[in-house]
Structures are given as C-alpha cells and as structure tokens.
Amino acid sequence: MSKLLVIQSDFGLADGAVSAMHGVANIVDPSIKVDDLTHDIKPYNIFEASYRLIQTIRYWPENTVFVSVVDPGVGSERKSIAVKTATGHFVITPDNGTLSHIKKYIGIESAKIIDEKNNRLPFSEKSHTFHGRDVYSYNGAKIASDKAYYETLEDFDVDNIETLEIKEAYVENGTIHGTVDILDIRFGSLWTNIPQEMLEENGFNTGDAIKIKIYHDDTKKYENQIIYGHSFSDVKQGEVIAYINSLINLGIAINQSNFSETYQIGTGSSWTIEVEKIN
C-alpha cells in the first residue's frame, strides 16, 4: 500500500517552514511520498483551508493522509485532531473550522485528539509556535506510515468538531442567490456556491443570456448581462462569461484576464451574487 501524505498551509514558500515539515515526515518514514496541496492560502483564512481540502481530497486514493495547517490559535487552548473521513481519507489539523466542508459534504467517520505534549516530534517540547512541524506533520507521517497509529489516539466526538458557517444557494422569485466562496486564484475567476443542478432545475441552459449582480454586504459592486457558456472560448478575449467550474458550481470569469482584480471583487459570506435568466 502506498504511503501518501499531502500538506497544505498558509506558510508560503519564502522560508524553510514547509521544507521542515517535509523533513519531519521523512524522519518518521523515508518511504512516505510527501506532496503539497498549497501553501498560498491567505494567512489565517480558515474558510479557504476548508475549501481547498474539499476541492482536492476526492482525487487522492483512499488512506491518503492530509495535513492542513492554518492555525491562528497556535499555542492556545484550541485542540489538535485527526479524523478519518467517510471516503477513507485522514486529515490532521487544528480543530478550528478547517474540517467544515469535509464534515458537511463528505462526512467524518471518526475523530481523535492529538496530545500536543506527548504525540509530537521528539525533543520539540520547547517550541510552542510551530505545531505544523512538531505536531501535525509528525502525526500525519505516523498515520501515513502505519494506519494502526491512528487507533492509539484518544477518541473525540465527531459532533464536537468546530465548524464554520457554510451558506447554501437558494432561489427566490426566479432569481438564484449565492455567495462568492473563493477564487480560482491565478486567473482571478470567481467560484460561487451555486451548483449546476440548481441552474438546470431553474431553466438555465448553456448559451443563455443571464443577468448577474454582485454585492459586498448591501453595496452593489457589479452588474452585467453575460453569456452562460460552456468554456471561456465562447466569448471574445476580455469579455465576461459564466461557466461551470471543476467543482460543478457556477464560476464567473473574464476570458484571459482577472475578474477579481478588474472589478475589485472579494470572497466570503459578505460577497453575494444574484443570477437571473433573461427571457
């Protein structure tokens, strides 16, 4: 069986933090294959960490271990946990909401408490601010190396796992209301929480002209009539298009340009979108 460990964080790659986490995994078991999900999560953005896990986890084999470290509460009383998902994956993370999307959309089969004093990299006891290396990478590697290690940890009630609010899209008077959850970062496209199924159920078809409005709190930031297309090439370069992204949700993009930067659109529950079919 392959020993797979996938790491994500908000550390960036400008210093040695990520390399140290890789090194710890190799100390535990040099036969582990260590890969990276991303280390470019916006600092302290737990919601984004949660989203990136759900974006990725299904595409890795069963028994893959994920370590996620976006931990603004490092060194505090917040818990460190390991979980086994309903899909047979493992995640090691602070109990701070990072598991929100996985718990809601995949399900968590079991959870364990990681004792930060005892279940940690040997001789790291004096370090209190780099649990990514000393606790999470270490325990992630221990589980990746031998799944039986997970069962040695203390049980934790799945119902007590911390979660963030995840809003659902809804329909009102023929208009679909959703949120701008996150960006396709490199290209600046908006990824919403509006599923393709909801669009289809409400009569939206590829090629339709639609009206979109984007708000930050109660302030309208963007309004336009655009094409609900199949791919970016359905519009000219520089034109806006609605499309279905890789998570099968509605996305908004500019063909070969950055929508978020162009129109100064952000993400999160305070950024909402309304979608209406033009008859």
Side-chain angles (χ1 to χ4, degrees), residues 21-249:
M21 292 173 71
H22 279 246
V24 166
N26 279 276
I27 288 173
V28 171
D29 185 345
S31 68
I32 295 172
K33 181 181 183 296
V34 185
D35 210 329
D36 297 296
L37 195 163
T38 180
H39 297 289
D40 287 329
I41 291 171
K42 187 176 180 181
Y44 320 119
N45 193 324
I46 297 167
F47 185 91
E48 184 176 349
S50 176
Y51 196 101
R52 295 306 179 197
L53 284 173
I54 198 70
Q55 180 184 355
T56 308
I57 195 169
R58 292 186 179 98
Y59 301 99
W60 282 84
E62 185 177 354
N63 287 314
T64 299
V65 179
F66 288 80
V67 167
S68 180
V69 191
V70 176
D71 192 14
V74 63
S76 70
E77 294 300 313
R78 66 93 186 92
K79 297 178 177 64
S80 294
I81 60 174
V83 304
K84 185 176 183 180
T85 73
T87 52
H89 300 88
F90 295 86
V91 185
I92 293 82
T93 184
D95 182 28
N96 60 7
T98 296
L99 293 165
S100 298
H101 286 83
I102 286 177
K103 187 175 181 182
K104 182 177 180 67
Y105 296 114
I106 291 180
I108 295 174
E109 180 180 295
S110 63
K112 303 285 186 175
I113 285 283
I114 295 173
D115 184 337
E116 295 175 3
K117 292 183 179 179
N118 297 309
N119 299 116
R120 62 183 297 144
L121 180 69
F123 310 112
S124 68
E125 294 82 4
K126 293 183 179 181
S127 173
H128 303 289
T129 59
F130 196 1
H131 286 173
R133 175 195 66 197
D134 302 332
V135 177
Y136 302 126
S137 185
Y138 177 77
N139 281 274
K142 293 283 281 186
I143 295 171
S145 178
D146 181 5
K147 300 303 181 294
Y149 175 81
Y150 176 81
E151 299 301 333
T152 69
L153 301 174
E154 180 185 349
D155 289 340
F156 183 63
D157 190 341
V158 170
D159 291 337
N160 290 334
I161 292 173
E162 293 287 336
T163 55
L164 306 173
E165 180 185 15
I166 299 176
K167 292 186 175 181
E168 298 283 357
Y170 64 94
V171 182
E172 185 175 78
N173 298 324
T175 299
I176 299 178
H177 298 256
T179 55
V180 182
D181 280 347
I182 208 159
L183 299 180
D184 186 355
I185 293 176
R186 186 167 179 83
F187 304 103
S189 305
L190 312 185
W191 282 18
T192 79
N193 67 339
I194 300 173
Q196 182 183 29
E197 183 179 12
M198 180 175 285
L199 292 164
E200 292 175 347
E201 289 173 350
N202 287 275
F204 289 76
N205 299 297
T206 301
D208 286 346
I210 63 174
K211 179 187 289 186
I212 64 168
K213 299 176 185 177
I214 299 173
Y215 296 85
H216 185 219
D217 294 322
D218 295 325
T219 303
K220 188 190 298 182
K221 293 294 186 178
Y222 181 83
E223 180 176 355
N224 197 7
Q225 295 183 13
I226 64 176
I227 295 297
Y228 173 35
H230 177 72
S231 66
F232 306 116
S233 61
D234 288 345
V235 297
K236 295 178 181 179
Q237 183 174 339
E239 291 185 350
V240 178
I241 185 170
Y243 68 103
I244 298 301
N245 67 19
S246 59
L247 294 185
I248 321 301
N249 289 336

Side-chain angles (χ1 to χ4, degrees), residues 253-264:
I254 300 176
N255 186 14
Q256 299 184 49
S257 191
N258 189 308
F259 189 98
S260 175
E261 289 183 358
T262 300
Y263 296 107
Q264 297 299 296

